[in-house]
Amino acid sequence: MSEEARTGKRFPLELPIRIHGKGGDDSGTTANMSAAGVYILADLDLAIGSNIEFEITLPAKVLGTPGDVEVHCTGRVVRKDGNDAKSNSKRKKKNGVACVIDQYKFIRKSKGTK
């Protein structure tokens, strides 16, 4: 993707991500994020143009908040990359998927009861 097509600064953040699909939930890892999009590494084969729904948990330690914050997102796949040929062949290879975030909602996760 060209720099002109990006709408904001990207931050290299590796966070666990839960991806919701018709066949159930899958997991992956973010590679980078911006206010408008995310690049995901996952064992899924998502088509360009397909809708995607996922949650990213932002750790309290990183945010400086009393509890983790979950970001529930819906968006669209705008680019996909094949497996990384340089990765160790003994490890399962992941696909890279660039997604535009159309909507998001922050959900505070409480630590125990009050």
Side-chain angles (χ1 to χ4, degrees), residues 24-88:
D25 291 352
D26 286 291
S27 62
T29 306
T30 64
N32 64 55
M33 295 177 63
S34 74
V38 62
Y39 189 79
I40 301 168
L41 297 173
D43 295 326
L44 296 173
D45 187 20
L46 299 167
I48 294 173
S50 64
N51 292 325
I52 186 168
E53 183 177 345
F54 56 91
E55 275 109 29
I56 301 169
T57 300
L58 304 173
K61 189 175 184 179
V62 172
L63 297 175
T65 57
D68 293 345
V69 175
E70 189 171 89
V71 185
H72 179 87
C73 305
T74 57
R76 294 166 283 122
V77 176
V78 293
R79 187 182 87 240
K80 70 181 205 173
D81 302 320
N83 294 328
D84 182 2
K86 295 179 183 177
S87 64
N88 186 339

